[in-house]
Amino acid sequence: MEIGIGLLGCGTVGQAVVKLLQEKGEDYGRRTESQLMLHHVLVKDLQKPRPGLTSEQLTTDPSLILDNPDIQVVIEVMGGIEESRHYLLKALHAGKHVVTANKALMAKHGAELFDAATENGCALYYEAAVAGGIPIIQTLKRSLASNALHSVYGIINGTTNYILSAMTEAGRDFEAVLAEAQAQGFAEADPTDDIEGYDAAYKLAILASLIFEHRISVDNIHRVGIQRISAQDIAHARELGYVIKLLAIAKRGENGFEARVHPTMIPAQHPLASVNGVYNALLVQGDAVGDLMFYGQGAGGMPTASAVVSDLLNIIVEMEAPPNLLMGCQHPSTEASLAAADQVMNRYYLRLQAEDRTGVLGQLGVLMGQADMSIHTLTQKKHAPGKAELVLITHPVSELRLRQVVAKIQQLDIIHSVDSIIRVEDFTG
């Protein structure tokens, strides 16, 4: 059986997909009892060198892929949202199966694409949209189908993990490490999507929809970036036995479904604390299986292409079978409501600048006690003449209560500033 393939995009990931198909095509064909044929690759510039591809395969005309009856599977690795959405909807309505690595597209328009896939009896696979080469989507939908999933905690953005890891190792500030990451190609010239948490939020929307078995809007995910994390915060975290990571969290909390992305202090002995550099990791908690940890390269040409081609091979072996219900979308048509961020309970780390004189700790303790907010740990450090730096960790408190108390703390004449507020995660959900 010959399987015709069309590829939308030929950047870093697209070229890696081509490389895998060329180098391992015979092996893939043996495993799937088929012959894989890459018909056309959509590019923007026909003059740019594309190793391993002929001029006949390259095209700037998407219709040669989307309207070609000899192509059964369309792979999208071009990125962007509206153009990709248009192409994939057209492919699905033409009865073509789809593989995509597009996290933003799946987070924003996954429901529409799944509806089109179901309507036309097509497969829509997207393993590479989350955590690169780590096989998390197939695992959640197939291997853990016997479980009720309680939560997922993820380090799912390599750029921010590289920055925070470098800050931790070298004691350097955010801006200096960001510039270094950009110079080495680990961060984009415009790093907004990464450092402000958008990239992680897209991926979390996809993961949360699988954990909760409901459609989740990325716009409803609470998101905080890493721009305000300082070398002082990282040093204090180390002294207190913690490491700071940008954590994506989806879990069933006391007030309902929670989905949030933010810098988080996690215990230094926890497995996620040792995930450094550009690597990704996910901790999944199921009712039957308990805790499972997944670790690997979350980006890059070959790791991402590995996930893309694996999806392709899964589609091929399932083509002659009835639709795979486990891999389809079975969520209700309505979106799930998420717990309001200000009602979520967390412990918090606070760093304050205060007057260095008698009675400061007493006033602070009285104010927090009156608000029914208690302190778990408090450390006082001499910061400058007449000024002391206070570092404290609270007992669990809602964000709403915390913000109310912080507003009152800032009004005290003994407090110069509240410089940092970071959530502390105990992994109890």
Side-chain angles (χ1 to χ4, degrees):
M1 176 176 64
E2 182 176 296
I3 302 298
I5 302 165
L7 181 62
L8 304 176
C10 198
T12 301
V13 175
Q15 291 179 46
V17 169
V18 171
K19 184 177 175 66
L20 284 179
L21 292 176
Q22 289 177 338
E23 294 183 352
K24 300 177 179 290
E26 289 187 8
D27 187 37
Y28 297 152
R30 177 184 55 79
R31 295 186 201 176
T32 60
E33 296 184 347
S34 63
Q35 181 182 359
L36 281 61
M37 180 67 66
L38 179 60
H39 284 275
H40 292 294
V41 179
L42 183 69
V43 298
K44 293 182 179 179
D45 181 4
L46 291 174
Q47 305 306 314
K48 185 176 180 179
R50 313 281 179 177
L53 292 172
T54 66
S55 58
E56 289 77 16
Q57 288 176 298
L58 297 172
T59 182
T60 57
D61 181 2
S63 67
L64 292 183
I65 294 174
L66 303 176
D67 298 332
N68 189 337
D70 294 328
I71 290 178
Q72 292 91 38
V73 184
V74 173
I75 298 174
E76 184 272 313
V77 290
M78 59 188 287
I81 295 181
E82 284 308 316
E83 190 175 24
S84 295
R85 170 177 167 268
H86 171 72
Y87 290 160
L88 294 192
L89 285 173
K90 188 171 182 179
L92 291 167
H93 286 302
K96 302 183 188 302
H97 305 291
V98 165
V99 176
T100 180
N102 196 324
K103 56 186 174 289
L105 177 64
M106 290 303 297
K108 287 181 173 291
H109 299 289
E112 181 183 19
L113 291 169
F114 267 117
D115 287 346
T118 300
E119 178 185 338
N120 293 280
C122 298
L124 171 60
Y125 281 26
Y126 54 103
E127 183 68 66
V130 178
I134 301 175
I136 190 64
I137 303 298
Q138 294 266 2
T139 299
L140 294 178
K141 299 197 79 167
R142 294 186 196 246
S143 302
L144 295 179
S146 60
N147 281 252
L149 300 175
H150 296 314
S151 61
V152 60
Y153 300 86
I155 297 171
I156 51 178
N157 181 269
T159 298
T160 52
N161 200 46
Y162 173 88
I163 292 171
L164 291 174
S165 297
M167 291 175 67
T168 300
E169 292 168 4
R172 299 166 63 196
D173 277 317
F174 171 79
E175 292 295 342
V177 176
L178 172 59
E180 178 183 279
Q182 289 172 314
Q184 295 184 5
F186 294 130
E188 300 288 345
D190 179 0
T192 302
D193 271 7
D194 294 318
I195 65 173
E196 293 190 7
Y198 289 102
D199 176 85
Y202 290 141
K203 297 170 182 175
L204 183 62
I206 295 169
L207 291 172
S209 71
L210 302 179
I211 293 289
F212 303 147
E213 298 183 288
H214 282 76
R215 291 176 173 174
I216 303 296
S217 171
V218 67
D219 296 329
N220 293 331
I221 291 178
H222 181 68
R223 175 187 53 77
V224 179
I226 66 168
Q227 309 93 303
R228 297 192 62 185
I229 301 298
S230 70
Q232 295 101 303
D233 294 323
I234 286 176
H236 293 327
R238 181 187 290 113
E239 291 178 9
L240 293 166
Y242 293 94
V243 173
I244 298 176
K245 298 290 185 182
L246 182 71
L247 212 59
I249 301 170
K251 68 177 182 177
R252 302 172 190 268
E254 295 179 1
N255 297 307
F257 297 147
E258 298 177 17
R260 41 197 169 89
V261 172
H262 48 69
T264 310
M265 288 175 56
I266 62 179
Q269 69 272 19
H270 192 275
L272 285 174
S274 62
V275 178
N276 294 317
V278 295
Y279 279 83
N280 282 196
L282 299 107
L283 171 68
V284 178
Q285 297 178 326
D287 64 339
V289 75
D291 290 1
L292 293 174
M293 184 88 167
F294 301 86
Y295 170 86
Q297 296 188 57
M302 274 300 173
T304 306
S306 168
V308 168
V309 176
S310 293
D311 275 351
L312 169 65
L313 300 182
N314 275 291
I315 287 175
I316 290 172
V317 298
E318 294 167 359
M319 273 185 176
E320 302 302 318
N324 189 318
L325 296 180
L326 286 178
M327 293 305 295
C329 179
Q330 298 175 318
H331 304 330
S333 59
T334 56
E335 291 182 358
S337 296
L338 297 178
D342 61 8
Q343 296 301 318
V344 172
M345 301 292 288
N346 265 111
R347 293 198 299 142
Y348 286 86
Y349 156 97
L350 282 78
R351 179 163 59 87
L352 319 174
Q353 304 300 328
E355 290 288 321
D356 185 19
R357 56 186 172 87
T358 304
V360 170
L361 297 182
Q363 288 189 54
L364 194 60
V366 168
L367 187 154
M368 296 179 72
Q370 290 173 343
D372 196 26
M373 177 175 157
S374 57
I375 298 174
H376 177 270
T377 303
L378 188 147
T379 305
Q380 179 174 343
K381 300 176 180 295
K382 195 70 174 289
H383 187 63
K387 184 187 292 185
E389 185 172 65
L390 304 180
V391 175
L392 63 92
I393 294 179
T394 73
H395 283 290
V397 62
S398 72
E399 180 166 332
L400 177 61
R401 178 65 57 84
L402 176 84
R403 296 294 177 185
Q404 292 171 340
V405 171
V406 168
K408 293 180 179 179
I409 289 174
Q410 290 174 318
Q411 294 174 2
L412 295 174
D413 59 4
I414 57 170
I415 300 297
H416 293 280
S417 62
V418 178
D419 292 341
S420 188
I421 301 173
I422 302 173
R423 291 169 179 82
V424 179
E425 181 58 56
D426 295 313
F427 299 97
T428 58

